[in-house]
Amino acid sequence: MKVLVVGGGGREHAIVWKLSQSPKIKKLYCAPGNPGIAELAECVSIEVTEIEKLADFAKRENIDLTFVGPEEPLSKGIVNYFKEQGLTVYGPSREAAQIEASKEFAKELMVKYQIPTAKYAAFTNYGEALAYVRSEGAPIVIKADGLAAGKGVVVALSLEEAEAALKSMMQDVTFGTAGVRVVIEEFLEGEEMTLLSFVNGSTVKPMVTSQDHKPVYDGDKGLNTGGMGTYAPLPHIDPSVTERIIKTIVQPTAEAMVAEGVPYEGILYTGLMLTKEGPKVIEYNARFGDPETQVVVPLLETDLLEILTASLTGKLENVEVKWKDKSAICVIMSSAGYPGPYEKGKVIYGLDQVVNSTIIFHAGTDMRDGEIITNGGRVLGVTAIAETLKEARELAYQSVEKVSFMGAHYRTDIGSKAFH
Ligand code: AMP
Ligand code: GLY
């Protein structure tokens, strides 16, 4: 088979890495890919939002299956367009991808189908939103509806912060069109975790649990990023909690999408808060998480292609999705300044020095005169796999020490919540 992966970050590197092990794949392409991906697949310089160009490429090269990594092309309808063109593509339709693209769609779905989540109200009128925030008080969470590149969420600990966030989202138009409508949520207290699942209609195949580390500095300090590291599975979370999440959240979500006439096919990311009253949904994403994928996919024993093909032929139910009885951890190395402004073009040293059982997934890298250089905020994900999380963590940090570039930053406490 010929397979095309759309995307060019650490997530897509992990997907390509896994697919490259599938005996049925003769040729693997990635658009646009990155220098790490280029070692495993032929990179094609088409951007993820150039949907028509991607479809033309898939037709010209007789691609048998396209896998879409990022949210933007999904919410723009890449799956609808590919299907209209008679192409085989894995991922949710534009309508189903609203579960991520529109926070209000997701919230209304959860309320209608009694899926546990934070209490919320949505506003387009600034005065009304302000009055609501004042009546609820802080802490309170303010979210811009629509995709806002991860910057549309403010967890306001004081009323002042909440009011400033509302003003910037609804009056200063900092967030562009995403800020026109805001969702204001009850603040949920607890530990955060992620459960990814393969979903096709009402069939759900959950993956292993994982946990992201969003703030840029140790101890969850500083601004939120796309994610500074992850580990999987969560050794301190009882399997009964995961079962409860599947039974009260993921399965009902899949069934709700069917009932709404927007059946979901693809990877469903459920971001959760484990509150005193039980697990509640923080957000859904219509795709694999980044960097969650860099730890979850290496633990997948089953051939990923087999799962995707089964799903596309309506047979996901029959696949036994097996997991390695190991632990994985991923430490992100980022550019100085990220998630604020940062410089690019720093030479990366030591990529060939990493210790065994570690894999470097490239995120924001590029090639210049035969050298690999930094080209993004999150530059690399150093993933280690071992029998225990403790061993994996030691291996990952040993490898992180070997890799260097000017201004490299990483968190030193990835996985520490598991040891509390
Ligand atoms: P989101 O983009 O919705 O995932 O929000 C980004 C981050 O904000 C989450 O990972 C949480 O850490 C935090 N967050 C979002 N919603 C809530 C909430 N209702 N209560 C507490 N923290 C939240
Ligand atoms: N790591 C969080 C996300 O992929 O949205």
Side-chain angles (χ1 to χ4, degrees):
M1 278 177 82
K2 283 174 145 186
V3 175
L4 167 66
V5 174
V6 175
R11 165 182 49 211
E12 287 77 23
H13 192 173
I15 292 160
V16 165
W17 174 85
K18 179 69 183 168
L19 288 174
S20 71
Q21 294 159 27
S22 175
K24 292 201 190 88
I25 298 185
K26 278 213 196 70
K27 180 92 194 178
L28 201 47
Y29 296 93
C30 189
N34 64 39
I37 293 174
E39 289 174 18
L40 304 166
E42 186 175 325
C43 293
V44 188
S45 62
I46 307 176
E47 291 306 316
V48 301
T49 48
E50 294 181 303
I51 294 173
E52 286 175 24
K53 277 195 193 167
L54 289 166
D56 288 346
F57 175 82
K59 272 189 239 167
R60 200 167 60 237
E61 294 297 330
N62 294 313
I63 300 292
D64 298 292
L65 167 65
T66 299
F67 181 96
V68 186
E71 62 271 33
E72 212 187 339
L74 291 168
S75 65
K76 289 200 161 127
I78 189 170
V79 168
N80 307 54
Y81 186 75
F82 267 54
K83 285 189 176 162
E84 280 159 28
Q85 302 291 313
L87 293 161
T88 303
V89 57
Y90 181 85
S93 65
R94 183 198 291 113
E95 296 71 24
Q98 279 186 92
I99 202 163
E100 169 171 7
S102 164
K103 291 198 190 284
E104 208 183 352
F105 172 90
K107 278 292 185 186
E108 280 174 2
L109 190 83
M110 287 185 270
V111 170
K112 185 166 173 190
Y113 294 90
Q114 284 144 32
I115 296 163
T117 188
K119 185 182 130 193
Y120 86 107
F123 298 92
T124 46
N125 178 288
Y126 174 63
E128 286 171 19
L130 194 62
Y132 180 79
V133 161
R134 286 181 176 158
S135 72
E136 290 292 310
I140 196 156
V141 181
I142 300 174
K143 303 184 173 187
D145 199 23
L147 299 170
K151 290 180 189 139
V153 177
V154 174
V155 179
L157 299 177
S158 68
L159 201 53
E160 271 170 18
E161 261 182 86
E163 290 186 11
L166 267 191
K167 191 161 185 294
S168 97
M169 285 184 201
M170 303 188 86
Q171 293 212 304
D172 302 345
V173 206
T174 327
F175 294 88
T177 52
V180 174
R181 193 180 196 94
V182 296
V183 172
I184 301 177
E185 272 186 26
E186 161 201 6
F187 172 75
L188 297 178
E189 212 174 336
E191 186 166 353
E192 255 183 275
M193 61 162 275
T194 300
L195 187 67
L196 289 157
S197 309
F198 297 99
V199 174
N200 185 6
S202 55
T203 304
V204 170
K205 296 278 176 173
M207 305 193 206
V208 288
T209 55
S210 56
Q211 188 172 57
D212 196 5
H213 297 62
K214 286 188 178 158
V216 66
Y217 299 124
D218 283 8
D220 287 342
K221 300 273 181 343
L223 292 175
N224 263 358
T225 68
M228 293 300 293
T230 38
Y231 64 98
L234 272 52
H236 57 302
I237 301 299
D238 195 82
S240 66
V241 174
T242 314
E243 275 162 37
R244 181 167 170 185
I245 293 168
I246 297 161
K247 198 160 158 249
T248 65
I249 293 175
V250 188
Q251 187 66 44
T253 302
E255 285 167 17
M257 293 297 275
V258 174
E260 289 297 299
V262 279
Y264 193 94
E265 176 169 49
I267 310 295
L268 181 66
Y269 172 118
T270 313
L272 301 141
M273 191 71 90
L274 303 177
T275 73
K276 281 197 196 106
E277 295 117 62
K280 293 189 182 180
V281 177
I282 296 177
E283 61 160 350
Y284 296 109
N285 290 323
R287 52 173 172 84
F288 265 122
D290 191 343
E292 286 89 340
T293 309
Q294 289 88 308
V295 288
V296 169
V297 162
L299 294 176
L300 178 61
E301 182 82 58
T302 312
D303 185 343
L304 177 58
L305 181 73
E306 195 192 314
I307 302 171
L308 305 181
T309 318
S311 183
L312 287 162
T313 50
K315 294 185 188 126
L316 180 61
E317 213 168 335
N318 305 340
V319 186
E320 199 193 340
V321 180
K322 287 199 202 136
W323 299 92
K324 295 193 171 108
D325 190 16
K326 292 190 175 195
S327 286
I329 191 161
C330 172
V331 180
I332 298 290
M333 301 185 74
S334 65
S335 297
Y338 172 77
Y342 54 84
E343 290 177 11
K344 298 180 179 177
K346 313 289 178 204
V347 178
I348 305 172
Y349 301 99
L351 289 173
D352 51 355
Q353 306 286 312
V354 299
V355 300
N356 269 346
S357 311
T358 53
I359 318 161
I360 306 277
F361 290 122
H362 289 223
T365 67
D366 201 356
M367 198 79 146
R368 185 181 62 201
D369 304 329
E371 286 185 307
I372 296 186
I373 56 168
T374 65
N375 191 40
R378 292 189 291 174
V379 177
L380 304 163
V382 179
T383 293
I385 299 145
E387 295 302 319
T388 65
L389 183 61
K390 199 162 170 287
E391 281 172 71
R393 186 169 143 134
E394 277 160 21
L395 289 169
Y397 279 110
Q398 277 171 31
S399 284
V400 166
E401 299 277 302
K402 310 256 186 215
V403 178
S404 62
F405 53 88
M406 207 191 287
H409 165 71
Y410 58 88
R411 277 182 63 160
T412 65
D413 64 347
I414 303 304
S416 57
K417 286 193 186 110
F419 302 109
H420 281 172

